[in-house]
Amino acid sequence: MYRHTRLADESDEYLAAREELRRAEIDLMRHRERVADLRRALPAGPAVADYAFLEGPADLDAGDDPVREVTLSGLFTGPDRPLIVYHFMYGKLQRSPCPMCTLWIDGFAGVARHIAQNADFAVAAAADLSALRAYARERGWSGLRLLSCGDSSFKYDLGSEDEDGTQDSSVSVFTRDADGTVRHFYSAHPRMAEDVDQRGIDLLNPVWHLLDLTPGGRGDWFAGPDY
Protein backbone atom coordinates (compact mmCIF):
# COMPACT_ATOMS: atom_id res chain seq x y z
CA MET A 1 0.00 0.00 0.00
CA TYR A 2 1.25 3.46 -0.94
CA ARG A 3 0.00 6.14 1.43
CA HIS A 4 -0.37 9.80 0.47
CA THR A 5 -0.83 11.11 4.01
CA ARG A 6 0.41 10.58 7.57
CA LEU A 7 -2.90 11.38 9.24
CA ALA A 8 -3.88 9.48 12.37
CA ASP A 9 -7.14 7.52 12.69
CA GLU A 10 -7.63 6.76 9.02
CA SER A 11 -9.87 3.70 9.08
CA ASP A 12 -8.96 0.40 7.45
CA GLU A 13 -12.03 0.89 5.27
CA TYR A 14 -10.82 4.30 4.09
CA LEU A 15 -7.26 3.07 3.46
CA ALA A 16 -8.47 0.07 1.46
CA ALA A 17 -10.77 2.24 -0.64
CA ARG A 18 -8.02 4.81 -1.20
CA GLU A 19 -5.64 2.07 -2.31
CA GLU A 20 -8.20 0.76 -4.80
CA LEU A 21 -8.63 4.32 -6.08
CA ARG A 22 -4.86 4.83 -6.36
CA ARG A 23 -4.55 1.77 -8.57
CA ALA A 24 -7.45 2.95 -10.70
CA GLU A 25 -5.81 6.38 -11.04
CA ILE A 26 -2.60 4.72 -12.25
CA ASP A 27 -4.59 2.74 -14.82
CA LEU A 28 -6.27 5.97 -15.96
CA MET A 29 -2.92 7.76 -16.26
CA ARG A 30 -1.49 4.96 -18.38
CA HIS A 31 -4.57 4.86 -20.58
CA ARG A 32 -4.46 8.65 -20.98
CA GLU A 33 -0.82 8.39 -22.08
CA ARG A 34 -1.75 5.66 -24.57
CA VAL A 35 -4.44 7.94 -26.00
CA ALA A 36 -1.90 10.76 -26.26
CA ASP A 37 0.46 8.40 -28.10
CA LEU A 38 -2.32 7.53 -30.56
CA ARG A 39 -3.00 11.22 -31.11
CA ARG A 40 0.66 12.01 -31.76
CA ALA A 41 0.89 9.08 -34.18
CA LEU A 42 -1.87 10.38 -36.46
CA PRO A 43 -0.71 10.38 -40.09
CA ALA A 44 -0.33 13.63 -41.99
CA GLY A 45 -3.69 15.33 -42.27
CA PRO A 46 -5.17 17.00 -45.33
CA ALA A 47 -3.92 20.29 -46.66
CA VAL A 48 -6.33 23.11 -45.84
CA ALA A 49 -7.11 26.46 -47.40
CA ASP A 50 -5.06 29.41 -46.25
CA TYR A 51 -8.02 31.00 -44.50
CA ALA A 52 -7.98 34.75 -43.88
CA PHE A 53 -8.86 36.33 -40.53
CA LEU A 54 -9.14 39.87 -39.23
CA GLU A 55 -6.92 40.95 -36.35
CA GLY A 56 -6.47 44.18 -34.41
CA PRO A 57 -3.44 45.59 -32.58
CA ALA A 58 -1.50 43.21 -30.34
CA ASP A 59 -2.10 45.60 -27.44
CA LEU A 60 -5.73 45.00 -26.54
CA ASP A 61 -5.96 48.40 -24.86
CA ALA A 62 -4.74 50.25 -27.96
CA GLY A 63 -8.17 50.25 -29.59
CA ASP A 64 -9.27 48.19 -32.58
CA ASP A 65 -7.44 49.95 -35.42
CA PRO A 66 -5.63 49.32 -37.57
CA VAL A 67 -7.32 46.09 -38.61
CA ARG A 68 -5.16 43.79 -40.65
CA GLU A 69 -5.79 40.58 -42.53
CA VAL A 70 -3.76 37.59 -41.41
CA THR A 71 -3.79 34.17 -43.02
CA LEU A 72 -3.77 30.80 -41.30
CA SER A 73 -0.22 30.19 -42.51
CA GLY A 74 0.74 33.61 -41.14
CA LEU A 75 -0.20 32.55 -37.62
CA PHE A 76 2.82 30.23 -37.50
CA THR A 77 5.77 32.09 -35.97
CA GLY A 78 8.50 29.60 -36.78
CA PRO A 79 9.34 26.27 -38.40
CA ASP A 80 8.33 23.04 -36.69
CA ARG A 81 5.86 24.82 -34.41
CA PRO A 82 2.26 23.54 -34.26
CA LEU A 83 -0.63 25.98 -34.24
CA ILE A 84 -3.53 25.56 -31.80
CA VAL A 85 -6.78 27.41 -32.52
CA TYR A 86 -9.67 27.55 -30.08
CA HIS A 87 -13.06 28.12 -31.73
CA PHE A 88 -14.98 30.60 -29.58
CA MET A 89 -18.80 30.32 -29.59
CA TYR A 90 -19.52 33.95 -30.32
CA GLY A 91 -21.03 35.46 -33.43
CA LYS A 92 -23.77 34.73 -35.97
CA LEU A 93 -26.53 32.81 -34.12
CA GLN A 94 -24.48 32.92 -30.90
CA ARG A 95 -25.32 36.56 -30.19
CA SER A 96 -23.73 36.67 -26.75
CA PRO A 97 -20.38 35.16 -25.72
CA CYS A 98 -20.63 31.55 -24.58
CA PRO A 99 -20.13 31.34 -20.77
CA MET A 100 -18.34 27.98 -21.00
CA CYS A 101 -16.02 29.23 -23.74
CA THR A 102 -15.37 32.22 -21.51
CA LEU A 103 -14.25 29.87 -18.75
CA TRP A 104 -11.92 28.10 -21.16
CA ILE A 105 -10.42 31.30 -22.57
CA ASP A 106 -9.97 32.81 -19.10
CA GLY A 107 -7.68 29.85 -18.46
CA PHE A 108 -5.88 30.18 -21.80
CA ALA A 109 -5.15 33.83 -21.04
CA GLY A 110 -3.38 32.77 -17.87
CA VAL A 111 -1.15 30.18 -19.52
CA ALA A 112 -0.61 31.74 -22.97
CA ARG A 113 3.03 32.62 -22.33
CA HIS A 114 3.72 29.04 -21.30
CA ILE A 115 1.99 27.63 -24.38
CA ALA A 116 4.07 30.02 -26.51
CA GLN A 117 7.26 28.21 -25.53
CA ASN A 118 6.16 25.22 -27.61
CA ALA A 119 3.28 26.19 -29.89
CA ASP A 120 1.45 29.09 -31.48
CA PHE A 121 -2.04 29.76 -30.17
CA ALA A 122 -5.04 31.83 -31.25
CA VAL A 123 -8.73 32.26 -30.50
CA ALA A 124 -11.06 32.52 -33.51
CA ALA A 125 -14.68 33.67 -33.43
CA ALA A 126 -17.42 34.40 -35.93
CA ALA A 127 -18.15 37.67 -34.10
CA ASP A 128 -17.15 41.04 -35.51
CA LEU A 129 -13.66 41.99 -34.45
CA SER A 130 -14.76 45.04 -32.46
CA ALA A 131 -17.28 43.00 -30.44
CA LEU A 132 -14.74 40.24 -29.83
CA ARG A 133 -12.10 42.68 -28.61
CA ALA A 134 -14.57 44.60 -26.45
CA TYR A 135 -15.50 41.40 -24.63
CA ALA A 136 -11.83 40.43 -24.38
CA ARG A 137 -11.11 43.74 -22.62
CA GLU A 138 -13.86 43.02 -20.10
CA ARG A 139 -12.27 39.64 -19.37
CA GLY A 140 -8.65 40.80 -19.37
CA TRP A 141 -7.59 38.58 -22.24
CA SER A 142 -4.39 40.44 -23.02
CA GLY A 143 -1.65 38.33 -24.53
CA LEU A 144 -3.99 36.26 -26.72
CA ARG A 145 -4.25 36.48 -30.50
CA LEU A 146 -7.93 37.25 -31.11
CA LEU A 147 -9.21 36.62 -34.62
CA SER A 148 -12.50 37.32 -36.36
CA CYS A 149 -13.25 34.80 -39.08
CA GLY A 150 -15.00 37.46 -41.17
CA ASP A 151 -16.37 35.89 -44.38
CA SER A 152 -14.10 32.86 -44.08
CA SER A 153 -15.50 29.31 -44.04
CA PHE A 154 -12.93 28.33 -41.43
CA LYS A 155 -15.37 27.51 -38.63
CA TYR A 156 -17.79 25.72 -40.94
CA ASP A 157 -15.05 23.61 -42.51
CA LEU A 158 -13.66 22.65 -39.11
CA GLY A 159 -17.09 21.70 -37.77
CA SER A 160 -17.57 24.49 -35.24
CA GLU A 161 -20.39 26.14 -37.19
CA ASP A 162 -23.33 24.74 -39.14
CA GLU A 163 -25.11 25.97 -42.26
CA ASP A 164 -27.40 28.19 -40.21
CA GLY A 165 -24.59 29.85 -38.25
CA THR A 166 -25.07 27.90 -35.01
CA GLN A 167 -21.75 27.91 -33.19
CA ASP A 168 -19.87 25.19 -31.31
CA SER A 169 -16.77 25.21 -29.16
CA SER A 170 -13.86 23.25 -30.61
CA VAL A 171 -10.10 23.10 -30.66
CA SER A 172 -8.03 22.47 -33.77
CA VAL A 173 -4.34 21.82 -34.29
CA PHE A 174 -2.48 22.55 -37.52
CA THR A 175 1.01 21.92 -38.84
CA ARG A 176 2.93 23.59 -41.63
CA ASP A 177 5.12 21.75 -44.14
CA ALA A 178 8.52 23.03 -45.23
CA ASP A 179 6.95 24.31 -48.46
CA GLY A 180 4.38 26.33 -46.50
CA THR A 181 1.44 23.95 -46.90
CA VAL A 182 -0.79 24.05 -43.83
CA ARG A 183 -2.31 20.75 -42.74
CA HIS A 184 -5.05 19.88 -40.30
CA PHE A 185 -3.67 17.60 -37.59
CA TYR A 186 -6.44 17.19 -35.02
CA SER A 187 -9.76 18.65 -33.89
CA ALA A 188 -11.94 17.91 -30.88
CA HIS A 189 -15.47 18.96 -29.99
CA PRO A 190 -17.51 18.68 -26.79
CA ARG A 191 -19.77 16.10 -28.45
CA MET A 192 -17.95 12.79 -28.85
CA ALA A 193 -20.93 10.52 -29.57
CA GLU A 194 -24.71 10.55 -29.44
CA ASP A 195 -24.55 9.80 -25.71
CA VAL A 196 -21.48 11.96 -24.94
CA ASP A 197 -22.55 15.55 -25.38
CA GLN A 198 -20.32 17.75 -23.21
CA ARG A 199 -17.06 16.00 -22.30
CA GLY A 200 -14.91 16.04 -25.42
CA ILE A 201 -12.66 19.00 -24.51
CA ASP A 202 -12.71 18.76 -20.70
CA LEU A 203 -8.98 18.12 -20.65
CA LEU A 204 -8.42 21.73 -21.75
CA ASN A 205 -9.65 23.16 -18.45
CA PRO A 206 -8.53 22.34 -14.88
CA VAL A 207 -11.78 23.52 -13.26
CA TRP A 208 -13.50 20.22 -13.98
CA HIS A 209 -10.61 18.18 -12.64
CA LEU A 210 -10.46 20.13 -9.40
CA LEU A 211 -14.22 19.76 -8.90
CA ASP A 212 -13.93 16.05 -9.62
CA LEU A 213 -11.58 15.77 -6.61
CA THR A 214 -14.39 16.83 -4.26
CA PRO A 215 -17.10 14.62 -2.72
CA GLY A 216 -19.84 16.29 -4.77
CA GLY A 217 -17.91 16.26 -8.04
CA ARG A 218 -18.83 18.67 -10.82
CA GLY A 219 -22.54 17.93 -10.60
CA ASP A 220 -24.59 20.06 -12.97
CA TRP A 221 -22.60 23.25 -12.34
CA PHE A 222 -22.40 25.59 -15.31
CA ALA A 223 -20.01 28.51 -15.72
CA GLY A 224 -21.30 32.07 -15.80
CA PRO A 225 -19.69 35.32 -17.01
CA ASP A 226 -20.94 37.45 -14.12
CA TYR A 227 -19.48 36.08 -10.88
Side-chain angles (χ1 to χ4, degrees):
M1 180 180 295
Y2 185 95
R3 292 190 58 172
H4 290 270
T5 61
R6 300 186 182 89
L7 299 173
D9 299 325
E10 287 181 323
S11 68
D12 291 341
E13 178 186 16
Y14 176 88
L15 290 173
R18 182 64 185 91
E19 176 64 11
E20 180 182 7
L21 174 59
R22 182 184 70 87
R23 293 179 181 275
E25 288 172 335
I26 291 173
D27 290 341
L28 175 61
M29 177 203 69
R30 289 174 175 158
H31 185 71
R32 190 168 60 243
E33 290 180 349
R34 176 176 174 271
V35 170
D37 285 341
L38 290 172
R39 187 182 299 114
R40 286 191 292 269
L42 285 169
V48 296
D50 202 9
Y51 301 96
F53 306 92
L54 300 176
E55 184 177 28
D59 182 356
L60 192 57
D61 294 323
D64 299 333
D65 295 315
V67 175
R68 70 186 187 101
E69 184 176 279
V70 59
T71 60
L72 185 64
S73 62
L75 297 174
F76 290 83
T77 63
D80 302 320
R81 282 175 64 87
L83 168 66
I84 305 167
V85 178
Y86 182 78
H87 303 244
F88 184 13
M89 290 177 64
Y90 186 24
K92 296 188 177 178
L93 293 190
Q94 183 78 32
R95 292 183 171 84
S96 59
C98 168
M100 295 300 283
C101 286
T102 297
L103 167 67
W104 259 250
I105 302 171
D106 281 347
F108 300 150
V111 298
R113 63 185 179 133
H114 303 289
I115 298 171
Q117 306 309 304
N118 298 284
D120 294 312
F121 180 80
V123 173
D128 291 338
L129 185 62
S130 58
L132 173 61
R133 288 175 66 88
Y135 188 64
R137 288 187 196 98
E138 292 179 22
R139 303 302 303 186
W141 292 344
S142 58
L144 293 179
R145 295 196 73 168
L146 303 166
L147 310 172
S148 171
C149 295
D151 296 328
S152 153
S153 64
F154 175 77
K155 293 184 98 274
Y156 178 79
D157 293 345
L158 273 298
S160 68
E161 179 181 289
D162 68 13
E163 295 89 343
D164 298 322
T166 301
Q167 303 296 298
D168 194 11
S169 55
S170 308
V171 62
S172 296
V173 180
F174 301 91
T175 59
R176 188 174 63 174
D177 295 347
D179 65 0
T181 301
V182 177
R183 296 185 181 277
H184 174 256
F185 174 72
Y186 172 80
S187 283
H189 306 266
R191 178 182 288 274
M192 304 177 76
E194 289 302 319
D195 60 341
V196 184
D197 187 39
Q198 290 291 333
R199 304 294 291 272
I201 58 173
D202 279 12
L203 290 175
L204 302 184
N205 192 284
V207 171
W208 306 121
H209 309 294
L210 289 170
L211 292 178
D212 281 342
L213 298 179
T214 68
R218 67 180 71 186
D220 58 359
W221 177 81
F222 196 84
D226 54 356
Y227 53 76

